[in-house]
């Protein structure tokens, strides 16, 4: 099972610290941001202690090819209302792609964008155009478009929308998917039969395009379009469904990343990963941190 969580990157150890945090959770992969997700400030890659991080990963058996980078939230390629916002999104995404290539990361998760009341068609075409401007054929990183819950004017809430983006982009071979369990549930998909979900993905996009799975329970019922993550087994999706997803043989080579909430300011990832590895729900998980 290739499983880990979102980890921080900061302080003096930077990416080396990210690896150490992941190891503390008994994880064999992880996801990180190359800088704060809410702003454009970025340290040079030369200051991120990448080579030291890679040395520790090699020693501990973490495959760099399975490590995931998440693009900043502030990138919105779907905005056709404010040209300056779109220009920032394109240039910032281009920069993130270059940083991933320099680091050696091969999977970059991206929220497709929101149309900001311009309509789905205009927003989807703007995303395609933005990707065409930001990407280049010789880049090493593949962009994993994340399935979204559909709150507000979010796009990427259906596989048809994601297929449209990939099919119309100039670089479909460099695009893939990040399946987020909470987002799929909140978007209206019944993920209790995940093989049916994977069949639809295979038919419309291709199962080989699944590059990442975000494993999150949901605080809201199916189809709520809310996007509020819950700890594993404590939400409306439930432990058994999430356990079956991370254990699905069709996804065995895909990294699974937890983005569940902290409990009383404590990361529960070690305990949640242990539950999924043992296939045993711990109903006392939250009490351990209270």
């Amino acid at each position: 099972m290739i499983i880990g969580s979102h980890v921080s990157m900061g302080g003096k150890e930077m990416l080396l610290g990210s690896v150490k945090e992941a190891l503390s959770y008994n994880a064999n992969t992880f996801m990180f941001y190359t800088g704060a997700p809410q702003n454009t400030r970025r340290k040079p890659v030369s200051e991120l202690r990448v080579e030291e991080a890679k040395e520790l990963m090699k020693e501990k058996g973490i495959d760099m090819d399975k490590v995931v980078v998440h693009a900043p939230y502030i990138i919105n390629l779907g905005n056709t209302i404010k040209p300056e916002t779109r220009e920032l999104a394109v240039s910032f995404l281009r920069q993130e792609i270059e940083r991933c290539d320099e680091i050696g990361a091969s999977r970059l998760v991206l929220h497709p964008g929101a149309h900001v009341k311009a309509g789905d068609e205009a927003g989807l075409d703007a995303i395609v155009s933005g990707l065409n401007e930001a990407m280049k054929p010789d880049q090493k990183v593949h962009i994993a478009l994340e399935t979204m819950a559909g709150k507000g004017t979010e796009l990427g809430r259906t596989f048809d929308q994601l297929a449209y983006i990939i099919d119309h982009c100039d670089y479909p071979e460099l695009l893939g998917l990040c399946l987020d369990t909470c987002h799929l549930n909140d978007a209206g998909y019944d993920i209790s039969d995940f093989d049916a979900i994977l069949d639809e993905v295979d038919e419309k996009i291709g199962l080989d395009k699944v590059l990442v799975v975000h494993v999150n329970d949901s605080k809201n019922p199916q189809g709520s379009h809310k996007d509020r993550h819950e700890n594993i087994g404590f939400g409306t999706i439930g432990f058994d469904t999430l356990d079956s997803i991370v254990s699905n043989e069709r996804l065995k080579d895909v990294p699974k990343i937890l983005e569940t909430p902290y409990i009383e300011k404590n990361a529960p990832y070690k305990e949640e990963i242990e539950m999924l590895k043992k296939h045993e729900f711990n109903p006392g998980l939250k009490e351990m941190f209270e």
Side-chain angles (χ1 to χ4, degrees):
M1 184 184 296
I2 305 168
I3 190 165
S5 69
H6 166 252
V7 296
S8 60
M9 186 180 71
K12 294 181 179 179
E13 291 199 306
M14 301 306 292
L15 189 58
L16 177 61
S18 300
V19 178
K20 290 180 179 180
E21 183 180 345
L23 291 171
S24 75
Y25 303 144
N26 292 330
N28 54 12
T29 189
F30 59 92
M31 182 177 75
F32 68 101
Y33 295 87
T34 73
Q38 308 91 347
N39 61 55
T40 59
R41 292 192 296 274
R42 292 291 181 270
K43 286 189 174 184
V45 171
S46 60
E47 297 182 14
L48 302 186
R49 302 183 69 174
V50 174
E51 294 309 313
E52 293 170 87
K54 287 181 178 179
E55 287 177 13
L56 182 58
M57 289 164 60
K58 184 177 181 180
E59 177 187 335
K60 299 297 184 179
I62 295 179
D63 184 354
M64 185 66 190
D65 185 55
K66 303 297 184 181
V67 170
V68 181
V69 177
H70 201 303
Y73 302 133
I74 60 175
I75 293 176
N76 181 13
L77 298 176
N79 191 333
T80 62
I81 306 300
K82 293 183 177 181
E84 65 276 12
T85 300
R86 182 182 178 281
E87 289 172 11
L88 171 65
V90 171
S91 63
F92 199 20
L93 177 58
R94 185 182 299 118
Q95 176 185 318
E96 287 295 296
I97 290 171
E98 292 170 352
R99 287 169 67 80
C100 284
D101 277 352
E102 190 174 351
I103 291 169
S106 64
R107 302 168 196 245
L108 175 63
V109 173
L110 174 70
H111 292 182
H115 63 70
V116 198
K117 299 185 179 179
D120 287 1
E121 184 175 353
L124 289 169
D125 287 339
I127 293 168
V128 170
S129 175
L131 287 169
N132 288 341
E133 290 180 50
M135 298 173 70
K136 50 187 179 181
D138 61 344
Q139 70 183 52
K140 299 178 183 68
V141 67
H142 288 62
I143 294 178
L145 301 172
E146 187 166 345
T147 56
M148 304 305 293
K151 65 179 182 179
T153 64
E154 275 182 345
L155 296 165
R157 61 183 179 271
T158 69
F159 293 123
D160 288 325
Q161 290 185 345
L162 293 164
Y164 181 92
I165 295 170
I166 294 172
D167 290 344
H168 287 81
C169 183
D170 291 343
Y171 310 104
E173 71 281 2
L174 294 173
L175 292 174
L177 296 179
C178 170
L179 305 179
D180 186 299
T181 56
C182 172
H183 295 176
L184 286 169
N185 174 81
D186 288 16
Y189 286 95
D190 178 6
I191 66 170
S192 62
D193 182 3
F194 210 69
D195 274 309
I197 298 289
L198 296 180
D199 288 343
E200 183 177 352
V201 170
D202 199 24
E203 176 188 352
K204 295 180 176 178
I205 300 172
L207 203 56
D208 61 319
K209 290 287 192 182
V210 180
L211 303 178
V212 185
V213 177
H214 283 171
V215 184
N216 303 296
D217 215 322
S218 175
K219 292 182 182 291
N220 295 287
Q222 180 183 336
S224 62
H225 303 294
K226 294 290 187 182
D227 184 12
R228 294 186 65 210
H229 298 187
E230 179 58 284
N231 294 100
I232 302 300
F234 290 87
T236 60
I237 297 173
F239 179 80
D240 290 342
T241 293
L242 294 171
D243 183 50
S244 68
I245 291 170
V246 300
S247 302
N248 192 301
E249 278 294 306
R250 298 165 77 182
L251 299 171
K252 65 179 181 179
D253 295 324
V254 179
K256 290 89 180 174
I257 301 293
L258 297 170
E259 299 177 306
T260 50
Y262 275 35
I263 302 172
E264 297 295 327
K265 299 183 179 180
N266 296 296
Y269 302 133
K270 180 178 180 180
E271 291 75 17
E272 290 181 312
I273 288 171
E274 182 179 12
M275 284 196 298
L276 292 167
K277 284 181 176 179
K278 290 183 175 180
H279 311 292
E280 295 177 2
F281 176 55
N282 178 7
L285 172 68
K286 292 194 174 185
E287 297 172 6
M288 296 170 62
F289 298 96
E290 292 175 351

